[in-house]
């Protein structure tokens, strides 16, 4: 969307594997997680699903800190504590 059509077409002609990689990225990075998430929600009652959805920012923050080396600042800790306290209260 940000490149001119001529540059996109030339990239496809120079690197013929680009469309294959794009399709794999869409399927593995978007479609499969959405399908698995939707199937999982169908098996869980709505109250538990809402509580589990609240845990997504916690897992994302922890993965960011552990895997990607993001700094664990006081605001991150405060946010995690607030989310965990809310989940505990809702439980």
């Amino acid at each position: 969307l940000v490149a001119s059509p001529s540059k996109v077409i030339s990239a496809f002609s120079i690197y013929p594997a680009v469309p294959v990689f794009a399709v794999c990225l869409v399927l593995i990075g978007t479609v499969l997680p959405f399908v698995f998430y939707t199937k999982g929600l169908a098996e869980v009652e709505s109250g538990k699903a809402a509580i589990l959805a609240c845990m997504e920012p916690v897992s994302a923050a922890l993965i960011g800190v552990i895997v990607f080396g993001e700094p664990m600042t006081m605001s991150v800790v405060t946010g995690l504590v607030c989310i965990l306290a809310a989940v505990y209260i809702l439980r």
Side-chain angles (χ1 to χ4, degrees), residues 51-68:
I51 291 172
L52 284 174
C54 292
M55 293 299 291
E56 288 178 22
V58 173
S59 63
L62 292 177
I63 289 172
V65 169
I66 294 168
V67 176
F68 299 114

Side-chain angles (χ1 to χ4, degrees), residues 1-89:
L1 295 176
V2 295
S4 67
S6 62
K7 288 184 179 183
V8 173
I9 292 170
S10 67
F12 285 164
S13 62
I14 295 172
Y15 306 106
V18 168
V20 174
F21 291 140
V23 168
C24 289
L25 178 66
V26 167
L27 288 176
I28 294 171
T30 305
V31 174
L32 285 177
F34 179 76
V35 168
F36 291 150
Y37 183 74
T38 308
K39 290 278 189 186
L41 285 179
E43 301 296 322
V44 178
E45 62 187 64
S46 61
K48 288 184 181 181
I51 291 172
L52 284 174
C54 292
M55 293 299 291
E56 288 178 22
V58 173
S59 63
L62 292 177
I63 289 172
V65 169
I66 294 168
V67 176
F68 299 114
E70 292 183 11
M72 178 68 91
T73 61
M74 194 54 155
S75 62
V76 171
V77 172
T78 304
L80 293 177
V81 168
C82 288
I83 292 171
L84 292 173
V87 168
Y88 180 75
I89 292 169

